[in-house]
Amino acid sequence: MEPQPPPLQAPNPRRSQNTPICIFTSKLDQMRNSHFDLSLHTEPCRYRLLECAAFTSNQELKLFEFSDISNVPYTAISYTWRGNETSNDNPSDPTYWKDVHGTFQVKGALDGDPISLDVLEHVCILALQNQSQYIWLDRLCILQTSKEDKSWQIRRMHSIYKNCVTCCILPGGIRRLVALEEETGWIHRGWTLQEAIVPKHSLVLFRWNHELTGKTISVATAGGSFGPSDVIGGQFTVDGKDIPISVGLFGTRTNRLPTSALMDALTAFGESTSASSRGNSKSGHMKAWTMQKTRAVWKPLKNFKKNIGTAVKQRISFRTSSTFTAEDSDNDGHHSSDLAQEDYSLDQQFDLSEYLPRRNKDISVSFGEEDDTLTPKYQSVWRSAFLRTSSRPVDMVFSIMNIFDVSLDPSDFDKDDRIKATVALAREILKRGGKASWIGAAYGLDPSPELSSFPRFPKTSVNGMAYLDNGQDGMERSAVDAMSETMRGGAYLRESLSGSMDDAGYLTISAPAIGLSFVESRNPAEVTSHNPWVLETQLIASASQTQLSRVTRHLRIIAHDGSVWQLNKFGEVSTNTHATYLVFIGQETWSTIPAYAAGTFMDPAPIRAWIVQEHSPGRFHRVSFAKLWLTFSLMSFPQVTLSIGGPGTF
């Protein structure tokens, strides 16, 4: 039998609705190396908090039970279930941590790191410094052996972090404090998204190997501010300099539902401000294509409803340069850093009247009024959720549901029911009049085989990153890298489609669309290496006006996967076995937050469209996506009602 810490007092049997009840008290030295069983001291469906003053002053771990904590001053802890490695032998090891009080574990949560009593002491002192009397730690305050209590607590997790006085972030986990320069997996964890954006005030607790006495350090950035302050000066040091400090996260205060700056900052993929890409040449050497000059002449489309046109007109001028690495050399060993340079200038105008119904003036476009505040925020929430991971895949849904004002019952789902829970969340959002904002979050990722209005869901684990195994080369790659290949940080779709979803996950929408006929398939790498803007994103054409006039008898587009499609003229029968459509999903725009302002890139092809294909009567699945010119008036096309999902089942 596992050792249990002896309680100093029995629980008070008398329960008053608003009076805290002490359910457990034990000296810290009795907690060392124990396996704590919370079920011996409480019942399911209760709030529980650890008292800070008893911990720091009396060296006691004291738990209280509450029926309501909305007006109780407490600090909630955000951490990783499994954090950074810890060593106890070599003080010169960066992972070294000196245990004074030791650690303990909780029954039902033995797959996580042991809880360090020393780390809890740091958090308690930080909480008291910020006018909190208690701390809330899910490992200790949730009855880990009770499914009933877990379900009850999960539905209230959003309010727990929303109502806390301060959220204390432990990026390296609950086992030890990490140094400021250590890499952690905190941003990749599923629950930490909600834990970062919901609290009114957040602080990060670090180990700081610098002297702060008599010094003031304050750094302001586009993302917020950095100002370290002592928590326990020199108490748990290795060489007299390691001082626990707290760091303000994104300023001292954020809004209850913060700005898109914080949302986008939590989207864990990087963004380069240069318009460049890299790919392998046929020789196997690395070739870099860098856009040196881009000039597109077009009028910004501020209101789609007022821009129903019947012509595409575009002048685009640009230069590409082929830059090789030192490995790219001729037989004599010579190489150049700038071997080729080409200039292009195209005047393209196409009459769309043959592709439209005879009474274009009767076309109705209804996207409704967009909330410029919520649209990027909700897309950022979905995007961050796609990039994060958890030991329980279904938690990727539970961790964001309350942000959309939806509360699913966790007991209705198994731990691996991520797709089923995703469908339930999406249905509730649409039922309440919300938008399908997940479309703009990850439209460039490969579709889910079972739920193709969503991207393929990555593999999840108790630690590490989210990974996808559907790369073109068959190799596993991180979800962060996969998204970076198709989308830019800070970008989002200005429009979000309305619709409905059935139990099978089919999203029914009405959107401007046009029929397509398949032409051919090309190697995506070869297509983008020739000209990343014309061939990857636009109507197929070359610099030769002769070739241009020949191919424009029918308009063609090239999709992200290299497939080439011909737009069907109005009334023209498709050559496909299955009906195929090009469907407008939105115009990509940029967040105006300071963190992305310097990298804002005016894309001459901001229109995003899905290519969907029918696999059973009235049911379609996503095949690929395309980028189109702003003046390519896809909004001129008639609205088509489509049910998009599958093609597989779950």
Side-chain angles (χ1 to χ4, degrees):
M1 182 170 177
E2 300 293 347
Q4 289 290 317
L8 295 185
Q9 64 184 55
N12 190 331
R14 295 176 298 173
R15 296 184 182 275
S16 176
Q17 184 175 0
N18 295 316
T19 302
I21 304 298
C22 181
I23 61 172
F24 177 80
T25 303
S26 177
K27 286 293 185 180
L28 298 188
D29 58 358
Q30 296 292 332
M31 293 296 299
R32 181 190 290 267
N33 300 325
S34 67
H35 284 212
F36 177 54
D37 187 354
L38 184 60
S39 66
L40 300 177
H41 311 284
T42 189
E43 300 173 2
C45 307
R46 301 281 194 276
Y47 292 108
R48 306 169 194 96
L49 298 173
L50 183 151
E51 187 184 45
C52 296
F55 200 106
T56 59
S57 300
N58 302 329
Q59 301 290 286
E60 293 177 353
L61 191 151
K62 182 178 290 188
L63 292 177
F64 284 84
E65 190 174 89
F66 298 78
S67 58
D68 178 23
I69 59 173
S70 58
N71 294 315
V72 178
Y74 65 92
T75 289
I77 299 178
S78 173
Y79 70 107
T80 56
W81 198 255
R82 286 187 186 173
N84 289 36
E85 293 183 358
T86 301
S87 64
N88 301 106
D89 301 324
N90 183 8
S92 63
D93 191 324
T95 66
Y96 177 80
W97 179 254
K98 183 180 179 181
D99 284 315
V100 175
H101 299 302
T103 65
F104 71 99
Q105 292 185 304
V106 176
K107 186 175 181 180
L110 300 180
D111 58 333
D113 291 334
I115 298 175
S116 168
L117 291 163
D118 301 295
V119 171
L120 284 185
E121 183 171 21
H122 292 316
V123 177
C124 283
I125 293 176
L126 180 67
L128 291 170
Q129 291 174 350
N130 287 273
Q131 291 73 53
S132 291
Q133 297 178 22
Y134 303 92
I135 63 173
W136 184 88
L137 174 67
D138 62 353
R139 186 89 61 85
L140 187 59
C141 299
I142 295 178
L143 192 50
Q144 299 291 339
T145 56
S146 169
K147 290 184 178 180
E148 180 185 4
D149 192 63
K150 282 185 177 181
S151 295
W152 189 87
Q153 300 280 355
I154 286 174
R155 300 185 78 170
R156 290 156 178 80
M157 201 76 72
H158 182 271
S159 64
I160 289 174
Y161 282 91
K162 173 184 173 182
N163 293 323
C164 68
V165 173
T166 297
C167 176
C168 175
I169 298 174
L170 304 174
I174 197 70
R175 178 62 184 85
R176 69 176 175 92
L177 298 183
V178 295
L180 190 62
E181 65 272 11
E182 285 188 67
E183 183 177 348
T184 74
W186 178 84
I187 200 171
H188 297 289
R189 307 307 304 152
W191 283 104
T192 59
L193 171 61
Q194 176 177 260
E195 294 162 9
I197 66 178
V198 171
K200 298 180 290 294
H201 183 217
S202 296
L203 292 170
V204 185
L205 193 58
F206 282 101
R207 217 170 124 196
W208 181 261
N209 190 27
H210 301 279
E211 180 61 52
L212 288 177
T213 304
K215 297 180 181 179
T216 300
I217 301 176
S218 181
V219 180
T221 67
S225 64
F226 172 84
S229 59
D230 288 357
V231 176
I232 308 178
Q235 182 170 343
F236 295 130
T237 62
V238 175
D239 56 8
K241 294 182 181 179
D242 285 332
I243 303 171
I245 64 164
S246 62
V247 178
L249 177 66
F250 301 104
T252 56
R253 281 278 177 186
T254 59
N255 294 328
R256 181 166 56 86
L257 185 61
T259 64
S260 58
L262 179 54
M263 297 284 195
D264 288 328
L266 293 170
T267 304
F269 70 92
E271 170 56 21
S272 172
T273 58
S274 62
S276 63
S277 60
R278 290 185 178 270
N280 292 322
S281 64
K282 291 183 178 180
S283 64
H285 296 158
M286 186 66 72
K287 178 186 292 187
W289 291 92
T290 304
M291 187 72 71
Q292 292 185 335
K293 179 182 179 183
T294 302
R295 181 172 61 86
V297 180
W298 44 264
K299 185 177 181 180
L301 192 58
K302 295 183 178 179
N303 191 328
F304 279 108
K305 297 180 182 179
K306 299 178 181 179
N307 200 54
I308 305 286
T310 59
V312 174
K313 185 177 182 180
Q314 179 83 31
R315 169 178 283 270
I316 180 168
S317 302
F318 54 89
R319 171 179 295 172
T320 63
S321 63
S322 171
T323 304
F324 292 83
T325 64
E327 297 177 351
D328 293 306
S329 58
D330 56 24
N331 294 332
D332 295 326
H334 299 100
H335 64 271
S336 171
S337 61
D338 193 3
L339 299 181
Q341 189 164 287
E342 298 173 282
D343 289 305
Y344 294 91
S345 181
L346 300 176
D347 279 318
Q348 300 173 331
Q349 181 164 338
F350 310 102
D351 184 6
L352 297 181
S353 60
E354 294 181 279
Y355 297 84
L356 302 172
R358 295 294 176 245
R359 299 184 64 188
N360 182 52
K361 63 180 181 180
D362 292 336
I363 294 175
S364 173
V365 179
S366 58
F367 278 86
E369 295 299 323
E370 291 296 322
D371 187 327
D372 292 336
T373 300
L374 294 181
T375 297
K377 286 180 180 176
Y378 286 156
Q379 290 182 26
S380 295
V381 168
W382 281 111
R383 185 176 300 174
S384 291
F386 292 147
L387 299 176
R388 291 168 179 255
T389 184
S390 171
S391 60
R392 291 165 37 91
V394 72
D395 283 348
M396 306 310 301
V397 180
F398 297 154
S399 63
I400 65 171
M401 62 182 181
N402 289 118
I403 297 175
F404 297 95
D405 294 322
V406 173
S407 181
L408 304 176
D409 186 349
S411 63
D412 292 340
F413 307 91
D414 294 330
K415 69 180 184 67
D416 294 318
D417 282 344
R418 181 173 185 176
I419 294 180
K420 179 181 175 182
T422 298
V423 171
L425 174 58
R427 293 190 70 195
E428 286 301 314
I429 290 173
L430 297 174
K431 281 181 181 179
R432 296 163 184 251
K435 304 293 184 68
S437 51
W438 61 85
I439 293 177
Y443 60 82
L445 294 182
D446 292 341
S448 165
E450 305 87 8
L451 194 65
S452 67
S453 71
F454 283 84
R456 183 185 293 269
F457 296 104
K459 295 179 179 178
T460 60
S461 62
V462 70
N463 54 4
M465 300 172 63
Y467 285 91
L468 293 165
D469 59 1
N470 62 327
Q472 296 175 358
D473 55 5
M475 300 294 291
E476 187 178 79
R477 69 191 192 281
S478 74
V480 171
D481 290 340
M483 185 169 287
S484 297
E485 293 171 5
T486 58
M487 302 182 69
R488 297 183 179 90
Y492 65 95
L493 296 186
R494 193 166 66 182
E495 298 75 29
S496 292
L497 296 167
S498 300
S500 61
M501 181 172 285
D502 62 16
D503 289 335
Y506 279 84
L507 173 66
T508 300
I509 57 173
S510 293
I514 188 171
L516 296 176
S517 293
F518 178 75
V519 177
E520 62 178 341
S521 292
R522 298 187 181 184
N523 186 324
E526 293 180 359
V527 170
T528 57
S529 66
H530 174 69
N531 188 322
W533 294 114
V534 174
L535 286 182
E536 180 186 357
T537 66
Q538 264 323 302
L539 305 176
I540 298 175
S542 70
S544 167
Q545 295 298 318
T546 302
Q547 292 176 324
L548 181 64
S549 62
R550 177 173 58 82
V551 299
T552 55
R553 292 175 183 172
H554 278 85
L555 298 182
R556 294 178 178 179
I557 62 166
I558 187 163
H560 176 72
D561 63 357
S563 57
V564 181
W565 301 85
Q566 181 171 288
L567 276 65
N568 297 334
K569 296 179 180 179
F570 184 71
E572 188 175 48
V573 178
S574 172
T575 60
N576 301 323
T577 304
H578 303 286
T580 307
Y581 287 93
L582 179 71
V583 184
F584 171 84
I585 60 171
Q587 177 187 345
E588 185 178 273
T589 188
W590 281 81
S591 173
T592 57
I593 62 172
Y596 289 104
T600 300
F601 179 76
M602 187 173 291
D603 191 342
I607 304 301
R608 299 295 179 258
W610 275 350
I611 297 174
V612 300
Q613 192 167 72
E614 191 176 39
H615 56 265
S616 63
R619 293 197 163 187
F620 293 77
H621 66 278
R622 179 159 57 103
V623 176
S624 187
F625 81 97
K627 302 178 181 181
L628 304 170
W629 286 334
L630 187 64
T631 48
F632 186 84
S633 299
L634 187 60
M635 292 295 291
S636 301
F637 298 126
Q639 286 203 45
V640 177
T641 299
L642 300 165
S643 292
I644 303 171
T649 58
F650 57 90

